[in-house]
């Protein structure tokens, strides 16, 4: 029941009990740690080699854009990079006051555990490319609980970007 998708522009485990969701600041710290841990090592994303990349930092505007997309998918019962309003991740970043020079977005539904989510993305070449891209320097993650294929689960959106300077 796992669905996962990646997109770039400009540039199953765990509990299903909603009471076990960690508080948002713990999720932020965990996701930032896991992404930076992945970026700290050379790796292949499919056939593409990526040397270790610099660590990224958390950005609340990126988080807000990611969260709005996860909520949109939950409320409208769909799974896609394009929002119900026709927006893409770049549009959602701009709406939050972030001016992206480059961005990448990974989405996933059907998993509960942050570590398993990141590992699934790293095991998929397109998702791995987003995580390892050296030009993407900031990130935000938004998740929302909703029904997918008749089961309560989390919808994840990870956005990584670099702001115009």
């Amino acid at each position: 029941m796992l669905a996962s998708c990646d997109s770039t522009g400009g540039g199953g485990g765990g509990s299903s009990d909603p009471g076990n969701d960690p508080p948002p600041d713990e999720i932020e710290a965990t996701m930032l740690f896991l992404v930076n841990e992945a970026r700290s090592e050379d790796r292949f994303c499919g056939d593409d080699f990526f040397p270790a990349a610099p660590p990224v930092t958390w950005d609340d505007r990126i988080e807000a854009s990611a969260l709005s997309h996860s909520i949109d998918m939950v409320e409208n019962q769909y799974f896609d990079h394009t929002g119900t309003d026709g927006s893409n991740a770049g549009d959602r970043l701009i709406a939050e006051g972030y001016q992206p020079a480059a961005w990448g977005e990974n989405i996933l539904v059907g998993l509960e555990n942050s570590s398993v989510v990141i590992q699934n993305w790293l095991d998929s070449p397109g998702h791995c490319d987003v995580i390892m891209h050296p030009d993407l320097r900031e990130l935000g993650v938004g998740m929302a609980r909703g029904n997918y294929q008749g089961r309560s689960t989390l919808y994840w959106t990870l956005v990584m970007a670099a702001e115009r300077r």
Side-chain angles (χ1 to χ4, degrees), residues 121-144:
W121 283 331
L122 290 173
D123 290 343
S124 167
H127 297 101
C128 181
D129 287 357
V130 170
I131 291 171
M132 293 301 296
H133 199 292
D135 294 340
L136 303 177
R137 296 182 292 272
E138 299 167 314
L139 78 90
V141 177
M143 58 185 220

Side-chain angles (χ1 to χ4, degrees), residues 3-7 69-70 73 79-82 92 105-109 121 127 155-158:
S4 185
C5 191
D6 69 272
S7 176
H69 189 56
S70 289
M73 289 189 290
F79 181 74
D80 196 282
H81 286 283
T82 303
R92 292 185 289 272
E105 177 180 78
N106 290 346
I107 59 176
L108 184 140
V109 64
W121 283 331
H127 297 101
Y155 286 70
W156 299 82
T157 303
L158 172 141

Side-chain angles (χ1 to χ4, degrees), residues 6-23:
D6 69 272
S7 176
T8 57
S15 167
S16 62
D17 177 5
N20 287 339
D21 292 345

Side-chain angles (χ1 to χ4, degrees), residues 58-122:
W58 190 268
D59 188 289
D60 289 336
R61 297 167 298 167
I62 299 175
E63 176 189 23
S65 74
L67 180 59
S68 72
H69 189 56
S70 289
I71 290 170
D72 184 34
M73 289 189 290
V74 164
E75 289 178 348
N76 294 288
Q77 302 245 323
Y78 77 101
F79 181 74
D80 196 282
H81 286 283
T82 303
T84 55
D85 61 359
S87 66
N88 64 31
D91 299 325
R92 292 185 289 272
L93 286 166
I94 291 168
E96 293 297 334
Y98 189 98
Q99 298 302 313
W103 54 267
E105 177 180 78
N106 290 346
I107 59 176
L108 184 140
V109 64
L111 293 176
E112 301 283 323
N113 181 288
S114 302
S115 296
V116 177
V117 168
I118 293 294
Q119 191 57 56
N120 269 268
W121 283 331
L122 290 173

